[in-house]
Amino acid sequence: MYINITKKIRLNAVQILALGFFLVILIGAILLSLPISSMSGKSTSFLDSLFTSTSAVCVTGLITVDTGTHWNYFGKTVIIILIQIGGLGFMSFTTLFALLLKKKITLKERLLLQEAMNTFGIQGLVRLIRYILVFTFSVELLGALLFATQFIPQFGIAKGIYYSIWHSISAFCNAGFDLMGNFSSLTAYSSNVTVLLTVSALIIIGGLGFTVWSELYNYKGYKRLSLHSKVVILITVILVLGGTILMLLFEFKNPNTLQPMGPIDKLTNAFFASVTTRTAGFNSINTSDMTVAGNFLTILLMFIGGSPGSTAGGIKTATFAILILTLISTIKGREDTEVFGRRLSKDAVYKAFTVFMIGVGIVIVVTMILSVTEAGKSLLYLLYEATSAFATVGLTLGITPGLSVIGKIVIMITMYLGRVGPMTVVLALANRKRKSTYKFPEDKILIG
């Protein structure tokens, strides 16, 4: 019996993106497992290398070995390159090399870019990629200059410059990786306003989305902004300010977090906690010392995440906005979801609810699995870990380094699903959408 094995395997856009991220993760894991990557000069276990590479490419920040003390400068450089590729998407770098080599961007490549950048169409995509790359490197350079004012006096010129560039990239890409050592993140800088506000600014800029910044760059008045940009900016402001106020209320009298601080430091750290929980993963106060209310608020903010087409994760601000707007419209008895004098399509509403339910489902399933593999751990800690992995945040209550082998594998898969996107993964595995030629009779189900 003859089987034709020469038949070409055809992959659609989302499948190529999902596979591309996986290959970058694998290459990173191989490099990190080599003796030349570790401070000790010995090979790192492939599981820990794969975990670190997955966390870097998925711009999460969860780690099983300390980034600052375990890896040497070669390993740290590999990690930051993986973060940059993961934050911008490997298709952006493919386009960059094509532009440098003056190669023509084909229609297929434009369709891939559309999927990768989560835009509405392919018109002006190459120009958008150019803008994204220039904008990204410019913002990261500015962030590095601000960090340098603090890090060079502390670490010296060479190390200070390296740390400044490294942390600027990590913050802009919402990665949450740091080089401070001993899993301490930025707790040593809880009273350094310059460092905390610079990190916060980079996180917000990276998490708004490149489409929004493109419109703001060409700003011609509030009315000329797209509905997408208006909604994203509004929800971001509400979440940041609301999160700051609630974090202040929950942690104000906590002797282990905000209580010992002065008024300015209290406000700065509450603001920082509100910003970084939305997929960045840095922390200036010890997360395990926070109140239950503070940790639960963190879980909610992590799950929502940043905005579409950005370096951030989560279900995204636009998805959250559509859910809330649909709820409001339903309560008001409106047939359609409405905002700013515009009506949203049913397709957008269905997709938002699909992303939300897939996200909830992943977090619940992962939490249940961890409750078995990590026996003895608090449910809050496990839910926190699962949400942090799915939303590619990187915050933890301290259980990541002690995860079992199965627990590490589960968290790696969760980070991958969270970065590639629930909808992308589902579409990558599903067959082409088929339009039905018939409809079933309409009927009713009692609700409530």
Side-chain angles (χ1 to χ4, degrees), residues 13-50:
V14 289
Q15 289 171 331
I16 292 174
L17 288 174
L19 181 60
F21 268 101
F22 175 76
L23 290 176
V24 173
I25 290 171
L26 186 60
I27 293 170
I30 293 171
L31 290 174
L32 291 175
S33 66
L34 299 175
I36 58 172
S37 296
S38 68
M39 197 78 77
S40 64
K42 298 178 181 179
S43 298
T44 304
S45 74
F46 187 74
L47 182 61
D48 286 329
S49 299
L50 183 62

PDB file of all heavy atoms in Angstrom, residues 13-50:
ATOM      1  N   ALA A  13      -2.642  30.821   9.565  1.00  0.00           N
ATOM      2  CA  ALA A  13      -1.883  31.875  10.243  1.00  0.00           C
ATOM      3  C   ALA A  13      -1.719  31.610  11.732  1.00  0.00           C
ATOM      4  O   ALA A  13      -0.616  31.720  12.283  1.00  0.00           O
ATOM      5  CB  ALA A  13      -2.570  33.221  10.020  1.00  0.00           C
ATOM      6  N   VAL A  14      -2.816  31.261  12.405  1.00  0.00           N
ATOM      7  CA  VAL A  14      -2.738  31.068  13.849  1.00  0.00           C
ATOM      8  C   VAL A  14      -1.891  29.853  14.211  1.00  0.00           C
ATOM      9  O   VAL A  14      -1.204  29.835  15.240  1.00  0.00           O
ATOM     10  CB  VAL A  14      -4.150  30.947  14.464  1.00  0.00           C
ATOM     11  CG1 VAL A  14      -4.865  32.271  14.444  1.00  0.00           C
ATOM     12  CG2 VAL A  14      -4.985  29.896  13.747  1.00  0.00           C
ATOM     13  N   GLN A  15      -1.909  28.825  13.379  1.00  0.00           N
ATOM     14  CA  GLN A  15      -1.083  27.644  13.628  1.00  0.00           C
ATOM     15  C   GLN A  15       0.400  27.972  13.481  1.00  0.00           C
ATOM     16  O   GLN A  15       1.236  27.493  14.262  1.00  0.00           O
ATOM     17  CB  GLN A  15      -1.484  26.509  12.674  1.00  0.00           C
ATOM     18  CG  GLN A  15      -2.839  25.901  12.993  1.00  0.00           C
ATOM     19  CD  GLN A  15      -3.309  24.935  11.924  1.00  0.00           C
ATOM     20  OE1 GLN A  15      -2.955  25.077  10.748  1.00  0.00           O
ATOM     21  NE2 GLN A  15      -4.117  23.960  12.309  1.00  0.00           N
ATOM     22  N   ILE A  16       0.737  28.796  12.496  1.00  0.00           N
ATOM     23  CA  ILE A  16       2.126  29.213  12.301  1.00  0.00           C
ATOM     24  C   ILE A  16       2.606  30.040  13.492  1.00  0.00           C
ATOM     25  O   ILE A  16       3.729  29.867  13.985  1.00  0.00           O
ATOM     26  CB  ILE A  16       2.274  30.013  10.990  1.00  0.00           C
ATOM     27  CG1 ILE A  16       2.037  29.099   9.789  1.00  0.00           C
ATOM     28  CG2 ILE A  16       3.666  30.660  10.903  1.00  0.00           C
ATOM     29  CD1 ILE A  16       2.019  29.826   8.465  1.00  0.00           C
ATOM     30  N   LEU A  17       1.746  30.938  13.989  1.00  0.00           N
ATOM     31  CA  LEU A  17       2.104  31.757  15.140  1.00  0.00           C
ATOM     32  C   LEU A  17       2.329  30.896  16.378  1.00  0.00           C
ATOM     33  O   LEU A  17       3.306  31.075  17.116  1.00  0.00           O
ATOM     34  CB  LEU A  17       1.002  32.792  15.413  1.00  0.00           C
ATOM     35  CG  LEU A  17       0.890  33.943  14.420  1.00  0.00           C
ATOM     36  CD1 LEU A  17      -0.327  34.787  14.727  1.00  0.00           C
ATOM     37  CD2 LEU A  17       2.147  34.790  14.445  1.00  0.00           C
ATOM     38  N   ALA A  18       1.412  29.952  16.614  1.00  0.00           N
ATOM     39  CA  ALA A  18       1.530  29.074  17.772  1.00  0.00           C
ATOM     40  C   ALA A  18       2.804  28.238  17.690  1.00  0.00           C
ATOM     41  O   ALA A  18       3.532  28.081  18.678  1.00  0.00           O
ATOM     42  CB  ALA A  18       0.299  28.169  17.866  1.00  0.00           C
ATOM     43  N   LEU A  19       3.103  27.714  16.500  1.00  0.00           N
ATOM     44  CA  LEU A  19       4.310  26.909  16.294  1.00  0.00           C
ATOM     45  C   LEU A  19       5.569  27.762  16.416  1.00  0.00           C
ATOM     46  O   LEU A  19       6.582  27.331  16.977  1.00  0.00           O
ATOM     47  CB  LEU A  19       4.255  26.243  14.916  1.00  0.00           C
ATOM     48  CG  LEU A  19       5.442  25.327  14.548  1.00  0.00           C
ATOM     49  CD1 LEU A  19       5.546  24.176  15.547  1.00  0.00           C
ATOM     50  CD2 LEU A  19       5.288  24.804  13.130  1.00  0.00           C
ATOM     51  N   GLY A  20       5.497  28.993  15.909  1.00  0.00           N
ATOM     52  CA  GLY A  20       6.643  29.898  15.976  1.00  0.00           C
ATOM     53  C   GLY A  20       7.043  30.193  17.412  1.00  0.00           C
ATOM     54  O   GLY A  20       8.228  30.160  17.757  1.00  0.00           O
ATOM     55  N   PHE A  21       6.076  30.487  18.259  1.00  0.00           N
ATOM     56  CA  PHE A  21       6.358  30.740  19.669  1.00  0.00           C
ATOM     57  C   PHE A  21       6.986  29.507  20.318  1.00  0.00           C
ATOM     58  O   PHE A  21       7.925  29.612  21.109  1.00  0.00           O
ATOM     59  CB  PHE A  21       5.075  31.128  20.410  1.00  0.00           C
ATOM     60  CG  PHE A  21       4.830  32.606  20.466  1.00  0.00           C
ATOM     61  CD1 PHE A  21       3.918  33.204  19.610  1.00  0.00           C
ATOM     62  CD2 PHE A  21       5.522  33.402  21.359  1.00  0.00           C
ATOM     63  CE1 PHE A  21       3.690  34.567  19.647  1.00  0.00           C
ATOM     64  CE2 PHE A  21       5.299  34.773  21.410  1.00  0.00           C
ATOM     65  CZ  PHE A  21       4.395  35.360  20.558  1.00  0.00           C
ATOM     66  N   PHE A  22       6.472  28.335  19.976  1.00  0.00           N
ATOM     67  CA  PHE A  22       6.992  27.088  20.555  1.00  0.00           C
ATOM     68  C   PHE A  22       8.456  26.877  20.160  1.00  0.00           C
ATOM     69  O   PHE A  22       9.281  26.489  20.994  1.00  0.00           O
ATOM     70  CB  PHE A  22       6.141  25.908  20.097  1.00  0.00           C
ATOM     71  CG  PHE A  22       6.677  24.573  20.557  1.00  0.00           C
ATOM     72  CD1 PHE A  22       6.522  24.163  21.872  1.00  0.00           C
ATOM     73  CD2 PHE A  22       7.356  23.739  19.672  1.00  0.00           C
ATOM     74  CE1 PHE A  22       7.036  22.944  22.299  1.00  0.00           C
ATOM     75  CE2 PHE A  22       7.868  22.527  20.087  1.00  0.00           C
ATOM     76  CZ  PHE A  22       7.696  22.121  21.403  1.00  0.00           C
ATOM     77  N   LEU A  23       8.795  27.129  18.895  1.00  0.00           N
ATOM     78  CA  LEU A  23      10.165  26.936  18.428  1.00  0.00           C
ATOM     79  C   LEU A  23      11.130  27.911  19.103  1.00  0.00           C
ATOM     80  O   LEU A  23      12.257  27.543  19.458  1.00  0.00           O
ATOM     81  CB  LEU A  23      10.230  27.093  16.904  1.00  0.00           C
ATOM     82  CG  LEU A  23       9.555  25.979  16.095  1.00  0.00           C
ATOM     83  CD1 LEU A  23       9.597  26.297  14.604  1.00  0.00           C
ATOM     84  CD2 LEU A  23      10.214  24.630  16.366  1.00  0.00           C
ATOM     85  N   VAL A  24      10.698  29.158  19.282  1.00  0.00           N
ATOM     86  CA  VAL A  24      11.542  30.141  19.972  1.00  0.00           C
ATOM     87  C   VAL A  24      11.796  29.692  21.411  1.00  0.00           C
ATOM     88  O   VAL A  24      12.910  29.791  21.927  1.00  0.00           O
ATOM     89  CB  VAL A  24      10.882  31.537  19.952  1.00  0.00           C
ATOM     90  CG1 VAL A  24      11.672  32.518  20.829  1.00  0.00           C
ATOM     91  CG2 VAL A  24      10.809  32.078  18.529  1.00  0.00           C
ATOM     92  N   ILE A  25      10.755  29.190  22.068  1.00  0.00           N
ATOM     93  CA  ILE A  25      10.886  28.680  23.438  1.00  0.00           C
ATOM     94  C   ILE A  25      11.882  27.530  23.490  1.00  0.00           C
ATOM     95  O   ILE A  25      12.751  27.476  24.377  1.00  0.00           O
ATOM     96  CB  ILE A  25       9.515  28.220  23.978  1.00  0.00           C
ATOM     97  CG1 ILE A  25       8.603  29.424  24.225  1.00  0.00           C
ATOM     98  CG2 ILE A  25       9.683  27.404  25.261  1.00  0.00           C
ATOM     99  CD1 ILE A  25       7.173  29.054  24.543  1.00  0.00           C
ATOM    100  N   LEU A  26      11.791  26.621  22.546  1.00  0.00           N
ATOM    101  CA  LEU A  26      12.665  25.449  22.517  1.00  0.00           C
ATOM    102  C   LEU A  26      14.127  25.841  22.314  1.00  0.00           C
ATOM    103  O   LEU A  26      15.031  25.332  23.005  1.00  0.00           O
ATOM    104  CB  LEU A  26      12.217  24.491  21.413  1.00  0.00           C
ATOM    105  CG  LEU A  26      12.951  23.138  21.337  1.00  0.00           C
ATOM    106  CD1 LEU A  26      12.773  22.369  22.639  1.00  0.00           C
ATOM    107  CD2 LEU A  26      12.437  22.326  20.159  1.00  0.00           C
ATOM    108  N   ILE A  27      14.374  26.757  21.386  1.00  0.00           N
ATOM    109  CA  ILE A  27      15.743  27.227  21.134  1.00  0.00           C
ATOM    110  C   ILE A  27      16.308  27.898  22.387  1.00  0.00           C
ATOM    111  O   ILE A  27      17.456  27.673  22.783  1.00  0.00           O
ATOM    112  CB  ILE A  27      15.773  28.196  19.937  1.00  0.00           C
ATOM    113  CG1 ILE A  27      15.427  27.455  18.638  1.00  0.00           C
ATOM    114  CG2 ILE A  27      17.145  28.866  19.816  1.00  0.00           C
ATOM    115  CD1 ILE A  27      15.204  28.363  17.449  1.00  0.00           C
ATOM    116  N   GLY A  28      15.484  28.719  23.021  1.00  0.00           N
ATOM    117  CA  GLY A  28      15.901  29.385  24.253  1.00  0.00           C
ATOM    118  C   GLY A  28      16.239  28.397  25.356  1.00  0.00           C
ATOM    119  O   GLY A  28      17.229  28.562  26.083  1.00  0.00           O
ATOM    120  N   ALA A  29      15.417  27.350  25.491  1.00  0.00           N
ATOM    121  CA  ALA A  29      15.645  26.330  26.518  1.00  0.00           C
ATOM    122  C   ALA A  29      16.968  25.603  26.294  1.00  0.00           C
ATOM    123  O   ALA A  29      17.713  25.331  27.247  1.00  0.00           O
ATOM    124  CB  ALA A  29      14.484  25.340  26.533  1.00  0.00           C
ATOM    125  N   ILE A  30      17.261  25.294  25.044  1.00  0.00           N
ATOM    126  CA  ILE A  30      18.520  24.602  24.720  1.00  0.00           C
ATOM    127  C   ILE A  30      19.720  25.468  25.087  1.00  0.00           C
ATOM    128  O   ILE A  30      20.694  24.993  25.693  1.00  0.00           O
ATOM    129  CB  ILE A  30      18.560  24.219  23.221  1.00  0.00           C
ATOM    130  CG1 ILE A  30      17.489  23.158  22.919  1.00  0.00           C
ATOM    131  CG2 ILE A  30      19.937  23.704  22.824  1.00  0.00           C
ATOM    132  CD1 ILE A  30      17.302  22.876  21.450  1.00  0.00           C
ATOM    133  N   LEU A  31      19.652  26.765  24.741  1.00  0.00           N
ATOM    134  CA  LEU A  31      20.757  27.675  25.060  1.00  0.00           C
ATOM    135  C   LEU A  31      20.942  27.830  26.566  1.00  0.00           C
ATOM    136  O   LEU A  31      22.071  27.836  27.075  1.00  0.00           O
ATOM    137  CB  LEU A  31      20.501  29.047  24.421  1.00  0.00           C
ATOM    138  CG  LEU A  31      20.612  29.132  22.900  1.00  0.00           C
ATOM    139  CD1 LEU A  31      20.187  30.509  22.411  1.00  0.00           C
ATOM    140  CD2 LEU A  31      22.040  28.825  22.443  1.00  0.00           C
ATOM    141  N   LEU A  32      19.842  27.944  27.289  1.00  0.00           N
ATOM    142  CA  LEU A  32      19.928  28.139  28.738  1.00  0.00           C
ATOM    143  C   LEU A  32      20.387  26.883  29.474  1.00  0.00           C
ATOM    144  O   LEU A  32      20.931  26.980  30.576  1.00  0.00           O
ATOM    145  CB  LEU A  32      18.567  28.590  29.289  1.00  0.00           C
ATOM    146  CG  LEU A  32      18.120  30.000  28.888  1.00  0.00           C
ATOM    147  CD1 LEU A  32      16.712  30.274  29.396  1.00  0.00           C
ATOM    148  CD2 LEU A  32      19.084  31.048  29.431  1.00  0.00           C
ATOM    149  N   SER A  33      20.186  25.735  28.875  1.00  0.00           N
ATOM    150  CA  SER A  33      20.602  24.486  29.530  1.00  0.00           C
ATOM    151  C   SER A  33      22.103  24.233  29.394  1.00  0.00           C
ATOM    152  O   SER A  33      22.660  23.384  30.094  1.00  0.00           O
ATOM    153  CB  SER A  33      19.829  23.298  28.947  1.00  0.00           C
ATOM    154  OG  SER A  33      20.171  23.091  27.581  1.00  0.00           O
ATOM    155  N   LEU A  34      22.769  24.984  28.520  1.00  0.00           N
ATOM    156  CA  LEU A  34      24.208  24.800  28.309  1.00  0.00           C
ATOM    157  C   LEU A  34      25.013  25.344  29.488  1.00  0.00           C
ATOM    158  O   LEU A  34      24.592  26.304  30.150  1.00  0.00           O
ATOM    159  CB  LEU A  34      24.644  25.502  27.022  1.00  0.00           C
ATOM    160  CG  LEU A  34      23.992  25.024  25.718  1.00  0.00           C
ATOM    161  CD1 LEU A  34      24.432  25.905  24.554  1.00  0.00           C
ATOM    162  CD2 LEU A  34      24.336  23.567  25.444  1.00  0.00           C
ATOM    163  N   PRO A  35      26.191  24.768  29.756  1.00  0.00           N
ATOM    164  CA  PRO A  35      27.044  25.234  30.861  1.00  0.00           C
ATOM    165  C   PRO A  35      27.449  26.705  30.739  1.00  0.00           C
ATOM    166  O   PRO A  35      27.689  27.366  31.741  1.00  0.00           O
ATOM    167  CB  PRO A  35      28.270  24.326  30.774  1.00  0.00           C
ATOM    168  CG  PRO A  35      27.787  23.097  30.076  1.00  0.00           C
ATOM    169  CD  PRO A  35      26.749  23.569  29.102  1.00  0.00           C
ATOM    170  N   ILE A  36      27.526  27.213  29.500  1.00  0.00           N
ATOM    171  CA  ILE A  36      27.972  28.598  29.299  1.00  0.00           C
ATOM    172  C   ILE A  36      26.930  29.621  29.750  1.00  0.00           C
ATOM    173  O   ILE A  36      27.211  30.827  29.758  1.00  0.00           O
ATOM    174  CB  ILE A  36      28.317  28.861  27.813  1.00  0.00           C
ATOM    175  CG1 ILE A  36      27.094  28.582  26.916  1.00  0.00           C
ATOM    176  CG2 ILE A  36      29.514  28.063  27.374  1.00  0.00           C
ATOM    177  CD1 ILE A  36      27.303  28.992  25.483  1.00  0.00           C
ATOM    178  N   SER A  37      25.745  29.166  30.138  1.00  0.00           N
ATOM    179  CA  SER A  37      24.680  30.090  30.524  1.00  0.00           C
ATOM    180  C   SER A  37      24.571  30.296  32.029  1.00  0.00           C
ATOM    181  O   SER A  37      24.007  31.289  32.473  1.00  0.00           O
ATOM    182  CB  SER A  37      23.327  29.595  29.993  1.00  0.00           C
ATOM    183  OG  SER A  37      23.292  29.589  28.587  1.00  0.00           O
ATOM    184  N   SER A  38      25.102  29.368  32.811  1.00  0.00           N
ATOM    185  CA  SER A  38      24.929  29.445  34.268  1.00  0.00           C
ATOM    186  C   SER A  38      26.144  30.060  34.951  1.00  0.00           C
ATOM    187  O   SER A  38      27.264  30.012  34.431  1.00  0.00           O
ATOM    188  CB  SER A  38      24.670  28.062  34.856  1.00  0.00           C
ATOM    189  OG  SER A  38      25.816  27.242  34.743  1.00  0.00           O
ATOM    190  N   MET A  39      25.906  30.638  36.116  1.00  0.00           N
ATOM    191  CA  MET A  39      26.977  31.262  36.884  1.00  0.00           C
ATOM    192  C   MET A  39      27.982  30.227  37.369  1.00  0.00           C
ATOM    193  O   MET A  39      29.178  30.500  37.473  1.00  0.00           O
ATOM    194  CB  MET A  39      26.379  31.997  38.087  1.00  0.00           C
ATOM    195  CG  MET A  39      27.289  33.002  38.735  1.00  0.00           C
ATOM    196  SD  MET A  39      27.399  34.555  37.819  1.00  0.00           S
ATOM    197  CE  MET A  39      25.841  35.325  38.279  1.00  0.00           C
ATOM    198  N   SER A  40      27.511  29.010  37.650  1.00  0.00           N
ATOM    199  CA  SER A  40      28.371  27.954  38.184  1.00  0.00           C
ATOM    200  C   SER A  40      29.201  27.268  37.101  1.00  0.00           C
ATOM    201  O   SER A  40      30.136  26.540  37.409  1.00  0.00           O
ATOM    202  CB  SER A  40      27.518  26.908  38.905  1.00  0.00           C
ATOM    203  OG  SER A  40      26.636  26.264  37.988  1.00  0.00           O
ATOM    204  N   GLY A  41      28.830  27.474  35.828  1.00  0.00           N
ATOM    205  CA  GLY A  41      29.531  26.807  34.734  1.00  0.00           C
ATOM    206  C   GLY A  41      29.073  25.378  34.522  1.00  0.00           C
ATOM    207  O   GLY A  41      29.693  24.632  33.760  1.00  0.00           O
ATOM    208  N   LYS A  42      27.975  25.013  35.184  1.00  0.00           N
ATOM    209  CA  LYS A  42      27.420  23.671  35.035  1.00  0.00           C
ATOM    210  C   LYS A  42      26.108  23.739  34.264  1.00  0.00           C
ATOM    211  O   LYS A  42      25.446  24.781  34.229  1.00  0.00           O
ATOM    212  CB  LYS A  42      27.187  23.029  36.403  1.00  0.00           C
ATOM    213  CG  LYS A  42      28.452  22.850  37.223  1.00  0.00           C
ATOM    214  CD  LYS A  42      28.128  22.247  38.587  1.00  0.00           C
ATOM    215  CE  LYS A  42      29.397  22.081  39.418  1.00  0.00           C
ATOM    216  NZ  LYS A  42      29.105  21.524  40.766  1.00  0.00           N
ATOM    217  N   SER A  43      25.725  22.636  33.679  1.00  0.00           N
ATOM    218  CA  SER A  43      24.462  22.576  32.933  1.00  0.00           C
ATOM    219  C   SER A  43      23.278  22.753  33.876  1.00  0.00           C
ATOM    220  O   SER A  43      23.287  22.233  34.999  1.00  0.00           O
ATOM    221  CB  SER A  43      24.334  21.239  32.199  1.00  0.00           C
ATOM    222  OG  SER A  43      25.370  21.083  31.256  1.00  0.00           O
ATOM    223  N   THR A  44      22.285  23.480  33.412  1.00  0.00           N
ATOM    224  CA  THR A  44      21.035  23.634  34.164  1.00  0.00           C
ATOM    225  C   THR A  44      20.064  22.580  33.673  1.00  0.00           C
ATOM    226  O   THR A  44      20.028  22.272  32.481  1.00  0.00           O
ATOM    227  CB  THR A  44      20.449  25.045  33.947  1.00  0.00           C
ATOM    228  OG1 THR A  44      21.422  26.026  34.310  1.00  0.00           O
ATOM    229  CG2 THR A  44      19.188  25.265  34.763  1.00  0.00           C
ATOM    230  N   SER A  45      19.281  22.018  34.583  1.00  0.00           N
ATOM    231  CA  SER A  45      18.323  20.986  34.182  1.00  0.00           C
ATOM    232  C   SER A  45      17.437  21.513  33.062  1.00  0.00           C
ATOM    233  O   SER A  45      17.048  22.686  33.073  1.00  0.00           O
ATOM    234  CB  SER A  45      17.458  20.558  35.370  1.00  0.00           C
ATOM    235  OG  SER A  45      16.507  21.554  35.690  1.00  0.00           O
ATOM    236  N   PHE A  46      17.149  20.653  32.105  1.00  0.00           N
ATOM    237  CA  PHE A  46      16.390  21.104  30.932  1.00  0.00           C
ATOM    238  C   PHE A  46      14.996  21.589  31.330  1.00  0.00           C
ATOM    239  O   PHE A  46      14.464  22.514  30.720  1.00  0.00           O
ATOM    240  CB  PHE A  46      16.268  19.974  29.903  1.00  0.00           C
ATOM    241  CG  PHE A  46      15.645  20.425  28.608  1.00  0.00           C
ATOM    242  CD1 PHE A  46      16.355  21.197  27.710  1.00  0.00           C
ATOM    243  CD2 PHE A  46      14.329  20.095  28.302  1.00  0.00           C
ATOM    244  CE1 PHE A  46      15.786  21.639  26.522  1.00  0.00           C
ATOM    245  CE2 PHE A  46      13.742  20.521  27.115  1.00  0.00           C
ATOM    246  CZ  PHE A  46      14.483  21.302  26.228  1.00  0.00           C
ATOM    247  N   LEU A  47      14.403  20.986  32.371  1.00  0.00           N
ATOM    248  CA  LEU A  47      13.060  21.402  32.804  1.00  0.00           C
ATOM    249  C   LEU A  47      13.078  22.835  33.304  1.00  0.00           C
ATOM    250  O   LEU A  47      12.218  23.645  32.936  1.00  0.00           O
ATOM    251  CB  LEU A  47      12.542  20.463  33.896  1.00  0.00           C
ATOM    252  CG  LEU A  47      11.119  20.760  34.399  1.00  0.00           C
ATOM    253  CD1 LEU A  47      10.116  20.647  33.258  1.00  0.00           C
ATOM    254  CD2 LEU A  47      10.744  19.815  35.538  1.00  0.00           C
ATOM    255  N   ASP A  48      14.087  23.189  34.133  1.00  0.00           N
ATOM    256  CA  ASP A  48      14.188  24.569  34.625  1.00  0.00           C
ATOM    257  C   ASP A  48      14.537  25.536  33.497  1.00  0.00           C
ATOM    258  O   ASP A  48      14.064  26.674  33.476  1.00  0.00           O
ATOM    259  CB  ASP A  48      15.245  24.654  35.729  1.00  0.00           C
ATOM    260  CG  ASP A  48      14.770  24.047  37.045  1.00  0.00           C
ATOM    261  OD1 ASP A  48      13.565  24.107  37.312  1.00  0.00           O
ATOM    262  OD2 ASP A  48      15.609  23.506  37.791  1.00  0.00           O
ATOM    263  N   SER A  49      15.357  25.086  32.558  1.00  0.00           N
ATOM    264  CA  SER A  49      15.704  25.926  31.395  1.00  0.00           C
ATOM    265  C   SER A  49      14.481  26.155  30.522  1.00  0.00           C
ATOM    266  O   SER A  49      14.245  27.276  30.051  1.00  0.00           O
ATOM    267  CB  SER A  49      16.814  25.255  30.572  1.00  0.00           C
ATOM    268  OG  SER A  49      17.979  25.086  31.338  1.00  0.00           O
ATOM    269  N   LEU A  50      13.711  25.099  30.312  1.00  0.00           N
ATOM    270  CA  LEU A  50      12.492  25.214  29.513  1.00  0.00           C
ATOM    271  C   LEU A  50      11.474  26.113  30.208  1.00  0.00           C
ATOM    272  O   LEU A  50      10.792  26.915  29.557  1.00  0.00           O
ATOM    273  CB  LEU A  50      11.889  23.819  29.279  1.00  0.00           C
ATOM    274  CG  LEU A  50      10.647  23.742  28.392  1.00  0.00           C
ATOM    275  CD1 LEU A  50      10.962  24.229  26.985  1.00  0.00           C
ATOM    276  CD2 LEU A  50      10.114  22.300  28.339  1.00  0.00           C
TER     277      LEU A  50
END
